Amino acid sequence: MKGRHWLAERGVDRVLLLLVPGLVFVVGLFAYPVLYGLQLSFQPKEGGGFFENYVRFFADPYLRDTIWITLRLALPAALINVVASVPVAYRLRGRVRGKRFLTTVLVVPITLGTVLTAEGLIGYLGPVGWFNKILLGIGLIDEPLRLVHNYWGVLFSLIITGFPFAFLLTLSYLSGIDPSLEKAAATLGADWWRRFRYVTLPLLAPGLAITFCLTFVLAFSVFPSAYLVGLPQGETRVISIAAYESAFRDSDYPLGSAIAMIMAVVMVVVVGLVLLWRSTLYRGATGGKG
C-alpha cells in the first residue's frame, strides 16, 4: 500500500510497471550485446589505433565491397517484395472466395525455412532442375541457365522468404483503409485506377515505407542463402559472411564486431532515409499540420 501511495504522489502510473520485464529483456538480449560488441570493435587484435579495425575494413576492397554486394541484394529484394505485395493484398483485402486458402498458400514460405527453400531452388532452378529441363525440352535454350550458386539464386531466395512478411503487412495496412473513401470517389466518376492512384495509394504509402524497412532489414542480414544458393567467396560474399569469417574462422572477434557495427550503421542509414521520406510524405498528405 505504501508503495502505491508513493507512486501516486509522484504521478507515476502503476500500469507502466508492466513495462519493466520487457525493458529488462531488451537490455539483456539487445542493448548489452550491442554495447559489448561496440567496445570490442575498438580493441584491435593485432594492436593499433582506436579505429584500426574500421580503417582495416574500408582499406581492404575484399571487405569493403561486401557492403555494395549486400545492398545489391537487399534493396531489389525488398522493393520487389513490396511492389508485388500491393496488387495481391489489394485484391484479397475484401471478401474473396477462397481468401483463407490463398492467404495460407502465400504465407507458407515462412514455415519452410531458409535451408528448405534453398534446396527447393537448387532442385527446381539448378542445371538439372525441372525449369531447365522444360526449357531444354521445348527448345527455348541450348544449354541450362545458371540460376543458382550466383546472385540470382540468392535474390530468388530472398524474394520467396521475404514476400510473406511484405504481403501480411501490406494486407493489414490496406484493411485499415476505410472502403467508403473509394466508394465516394467512385460516385464522382473515378475508375478503379484513379481510385487506387489518388485515394488508396497515398494512404497506403506510409505503411509501405515501414514494410520496405522491415523487409530490407530481413534481406540485408542474409547469411544462409548466400552460402547455400550463392557464391560465398565471390559475387554473394555479403557483409554478414565477412563478419562471421573474421570472428569464427580467423578468431578475430574485434574485427568481426567492427564489421557487425558497420552492418548495423548501413541498415540504420537506409531505414532512416526511408522513414524521412515517409515523414515528408505524411506532412504533405496532411497539409503540413500536426
Side-chain angles (χ1 to χ4, degrees):
M1 294 294 293
K2 291 182 179 180
R4 293 180 180 180
H5 291 304
W6 185 83
L7 292 174
E9 289 174 357
R10 286 158 179 76
V12 179
D13 190 348
R14 287 176 296 167
V15 177
L16 295 178
L17 295 177
L18 297 175
L19 296 175
V20 174
L23 290 175
V24 172
F25 182 82
V26 170
V27 171
L29 294 183
F30 178 75
Y32 172 75
V34 170
L35 293 176
Y36 176 77
L38 180 62
Q39 64 88 22
L40 185 63
S41 69
F42 296 122
Q43 302 174 17
K45 178 181 178 181
E46 300 177 358
F50 199 59
F51 297 98
E52 180 63 27
N53 285 323
Y54 295 94
V55 172
R56 179 180 171 187
F57 176 87
F58 287 104
D60 186 348
Y62 191 56
L63 292 174
R64 184 180 64 243
D65 290 347
T66 58
I67 297 178
W68 169 239
I69 291 172
T70 313
L71 287 174
R72 284 184 63 240
L73 284 165
L75 289 174
L79 185 61
I80 291 172
N81 281 329
V82 171
V83 172
S85 69
V86 173
V88 180
Y90 185 80
R91 184 67 183 88
L92 293 179
R93 66 172 180 163
R95 294 182 179 180
V96 178
R97 187 175 182 180
K99 177 179 179 178
R100 292 183 179 179
F101 173 76
L102 293 174
T103 302
T104 302
V105 171
L106 292 172
V107 176
V108 161
I110 294 179
T111 66
L112 298 180
T114 306
V115 175
L116 189 57
T117 300
E119 290 182 354
L121 284 172
I122 293 173
Y124 185 74
L125 298 178
V128 294
W130 299 351
F131 184 74
N132 275 305
K133 285 183 177 179
I134 293 174
L135 295 182
L136 288 169
I138 60 179
L140 286 180
I141 57 176
D142 297 325
E143 59 183 23
L145 298 176
R146 188 168 173 262
L147 298 174
V148 293
H149 300 306
N150 55 11
Y151 171 88
W152 295 108
V154 181
L155 182 64
F156 292 147
S157 177
L158 292 176
I159 292 173
I160 292 172
T161 55
F163 176 79
F165 293 98
F167 165 70
L168 290 176
L169 287 170
T170 304
L171 181 62
S172 66
Y173 285 121
L174 277 170
S175 300
I177 298 176
D178 191 348
S180 63
L181 296 174
E182 285 195 64
K183 292 180 181 178
T187 60
L188 297 175
D191 56 19
W192 74 270
W193 170 245
R194 289 182 177 272
R195 294 197 300 270
F196 176 79
R197 171 66 181 83
Y198 295 106
V199 178
T200 304
L201 187 58
L203 295 173
L204 179 61
L208 291 181
I210 299 297
T211 303
F212 177 87
C213 290
L214 294 176
T215 51
F216 167 77
V217 170
L218 181 67
F220 193 83
S221 59
V222 59
F223 182 84
S225 297
Y227 259 108
L228 297 173
V229 289
L231 195 63
Q233 301 306 322
E235 58 183 315
T236 66
R237 188 172 187 267
V238 294
I239 192 170
S240 59
I241 291 178
Y244 171 81
E245 290 179 344
S246 296
F248 299 102
R249 186 194 65 184
D250 304 331
S251 298
D252 193 342
Y253 297 104
L255 178 59
S257 297
I259 296 175
M261 293 300 109
I262 294 171
M263 181 178 177
V265 169
V266 174
M267 285 192 287
V268 169
V269 169
V270 174
V271 170
L273 290 174
V274 175
L275 293 181
L276 179 63
W277 170 80
R278 178 182 180 272
S279 62
T280 303
L281 185 68
Y282 180 78
R283 285 196 301 268
T286 58
K289 298 180 180 179

